[in-house]
Amino acid sequence: MVDADPIERVNTGGRFVVARAFVALSVAMGLGRFAFTPILPLMLDQAGLRPESAATLATANYLGYLAGAVAAIAVHRIAQSALVLRVSLVTLVATVAAMAATESVAGWLALRFVAGVASAAVFVYTTRVAHQRVRGDGDGVGWVFGGVGGGIVLSAVAVLALGETANWRVAWLVSAALAAVLAVVAWTLPGEPRTAVPTRVRQLAAPPAARRAFAWLTVAYFCEGLGYIVSATFLVAAVAAAGSAHWLGSAVWIAVGVAVVPSCVLWMRLARRYSPASAMTAALVLQAAAVAVSAVIGAGVVQMVSALCFGGTMIAIVMLALGEGARLTGPRAAAILTSVYGLGQVLGPLAVAPLLGGGYSAALGAAAAVLAVGALCTIPVLRAERAA
């Protein structure tokens, strides 16, 4: 039996761990990954980038993320190495800055792929440390995931601050500078705590009902990865293409980020009050509705409300799905769910690329339909949860 005292000592100063982990995810996801979203309209207007090529660039980044996540899951040392964290932070800053140095689509593809690998390494390391060092019965881990929203807000504010005459190269360089500053804070994020007695947990076979529920959860999570990423990639470009005020696209992306920050904490509280499967179903329904509304109504107020609903669910669904998967089949669920989610993200931009020639409404509408299917797939999970 392991003494509880070391856990108490590990959680001393847990708020500082949460703060640094929050910043690390701001660099990895909010800036290293999603800075592309508010800068995309500038690249379409000034750099000669075509919407179809933009979809390919997004796919390259998500493919790199999938490769990095799978590598980190397969090779545990990647997820435990402070050296990997620091190399990945430097790589993210460098690749973001280098986007401004070329107008070659091939060069951009390579940079976005490498950035995806690095962001996955930081994400896996950070979330692993957070779960080890922050109390699981509180809101600390939820606030860590909120760091994605913090980075999204910074990327959007940076583009908005550049004004109507914003240049796409300057936008990338400003994003890189912000990432560099935050990387300094994340640099000292500690590794996993060392326990006196290493323990091994035997994976027991899940009952047939739990395996069936997990299969449905896997399909739902794949739909989430495929559906949400379309909106996360093209939302700002869609607002800009609708002829709205130049600031509205960035304002919508700020709304997404602001909603992300507290979302995991709020949804996990709902999950504790009701159930994880109920919360995930509700979040998927809300997200599908938000994307559908943004596809058909271009009014600024509607777009802002939709952005808040979208941001308020996009990261929370990740936490809810991983938690429900662990309940159904144990620790192995994380690897399976992360892989199918990553595959959905890779396929999403490619699937809607043929629809982008006539604008973004059809692509967003298709994404909303996929998310609705994902919500339907959680119904068997709900039934299994209630039966248990």
Side-chain angles (χ1 to χ4, degrees):
M1 182 175 179
V2 179
D3 186 10
D5 288 341
I7 299 176
E8 291 290 342
R9 289 195 293 271
V10 164
N11 281 278
T12 301
R15 292 181 181 178
F16 295 102
V17 174
V18 169
R20 283 178 286 181
F22 180 100
V23 170
L25 291 192
S26 296
V27 177
M29 308 298 289
L31 289 166
R33 188 174 191 186
F34 288 126
F36 179 69
T37 300
I39 299 175
L40 177 57
L42 300 178
M43 296 181 72
L44 292 170
D45 291 341
Q46 302 170 12
L49 183 66
R50 294 167 56 87
E52 297 80 2
S53 297
T56 306
L57 288 180
T59 297
N61 184 248
Y62 307 144
L63 184 61
Y65 182 86
L66 175 60
V70 171
I73 291 169
V75 183
H76 295 298
R77 290 183 180 179
I78 294 177
Q80 300 170 352
S81 170
L83 176 61
V84 171
L85 168 72
R86 292 166 183 173
V87 169
S88 298
L89 289 171
V90 172
T91 301
L92 281 167
V93 174
T95 53
V96 170
M99 288 292 292
T102 181
E103 292 188 13
S104 165
V105 173
W108 287 333
L109 284 170
L111 289 169
R112 296 310 292 158
F113 178 85
V114 173
V117 174
S119 66
V122 176
F123 182 85
V124 173
Y125 178 95
T126 302
T127 55
R128 188 182 181 98
V129 168
H131 280 97
Q132 290 286 337
R133 288 185 172 265
V134 180
R135 284 193 178 279
D137 58 352
D139 295 332
V141 175
W143 288 117
V144 170
F145 276 83
V148 178
I152 287 174
V153 171
L154 281 177
S155 67
V157 168
V159 174
L160 185 61
L162 293 175
E164 292 186 55
T165 59
N167 178 272
W168 69 274
R169 294 183 191 273
V170 174
W172 279 112
L173 292 174
V174 170
S175 297
L178 290 171
V181 172
L182 295 181
V184 173
V185 178
W187 194 264
T188 57
L189 183 65
E192 294 183 55
R194 294 182 179 180
T195 56
V197 180
T199 58
R200 292 185 180 182
V201 178
R202 183 185 175 192
Q203 178 67 52
L204 300 177
R211 291 199 299 269
R212 287 193 294 270
F214 181 72
W216 282 108
L217 176 67
T218 301
V219 176
Y221 200 47
F222 171 80
C223 291
E224 165 63 13
L226 195 153
Y228 107 90
I229 203 63
V230 174
S231 186
T233 302
F234 299 113
L235 178 61
V236 176
V239 173
S244 305
H246 80 278
W247 53 266
L248 183 59
S250 294
V252 163
W253 197 234
I254 290 173
V256 170
V258 167
V260 167
V261 174
S263 63
C264 290
V265 172
L266 296 177
W267 281 103
M268 291 306 292
R269 290 180 181 179
L270 288 174
R272 289 195 292 268
R273 180 171 182 178
Y274 299 101
S275 74
S278 298
M280 183 176 174
T281 301
L284 275 165
V285 170
L286 180 59
Q287 187 177 107
V291 175
V293 168
S294 69
V296 297
I297 302 178
V301 173
V302 174
Q303 290 290 339
M304 290 292 288
V305 173
S306 296
L308 288 170
C309 293
F310 177 73
T313 55
M314 61 181 276
I315 304 300
I317 290 173
V318 173
M319 284 195 72
L320 292 168
L322 293 179
E324 184 67 4
R327 185 188 71 82
L328 290 170
T329 62
R332 66 178 181 178
I336 297 171
L337 291 173
T338 298
S339 299
V340 299
Y341 184 76
L343 180 61
Q345 290 182 118
V346 170
L347 296 177
L350 291 178
V352 302
L355 304 176
L356 297 176
Y360 297 94
S361 293
L364 292 174
V370 171
L371 292 169
V373 171
L376 290 174
C377 289
T378 62
I379 294 175
V381 184
L382 275 169
R383 291 174 177 170
E385 185 181 66
R386 289 169 183 169

